[in-house]
Amino acid sequence: MRCNNCGSEVTKSSKFCAQCGNKVETKKVCCSNCGKEILDGASFCMNCGKKVISSNAPNTEDDGKAYIYLIVAYLFCFTLI
């Protein structure tokens, strides 16, 4: 686990960072499928097996909407020409 202020490594039991003194805030991450707590660093939920999507990572689950918007925008621009 890292300090959100200076990036130094901190233990899970730490309440403050030893390098900068910033209060260590831990946030509980829950599975979007079953609601169970996800262990720090896990890639999959241990309860239901769903892949964990990090809030910092881009969403890779494509539902097709972006593709449709791209086609509509292209057709709109093409009709203007």
Side-chain angles (χ1 to χ4, degrees), residues 12-33:
K12 287 184 180 183
S13 61
S14 297
K15 293 183 180 181
F16 294 91
C17 175
Q19 298 302 314
C20 70
N22 192 50
K23 184 174 181 176
V24 176
E25 295 182 24
T26 59
K27 50 184 179 174
K28 185 177 176 182
V29 179
C30 296
C31 177
S32 62
N33 189 49

Side-chain angles (χ1 to χ4, degrees), residues 19-70:
Q19 298 302 314
C20 70
N22 192 50
K23 184 174 181 176
V24 176
E25 295 182 24
T26 59
K27 50 184 179 174
K28 185 177 176 182
V29 179
C30 296
C31 177
S32 62
N33 189 49
C34 69
K36 294 288 184 177
E37 185 175 357
I38 302 293
L39 297 178
D40 189 31
S43 296
F44 293 89
C45 176
M46 291 177 55
N47 187 58
C48 70
K50 182 167 174 72
K51 184 168 177 61
V52 175
I53 300 174
S54 172
S55 61
N56 295 334
N59 189 354
T60 56
E61 291 183 9
D62 186 13
D63 59 4
K65 289 182 181 178
Y67 183 69
I68 292 171
Y69 291 137
L70 181 64

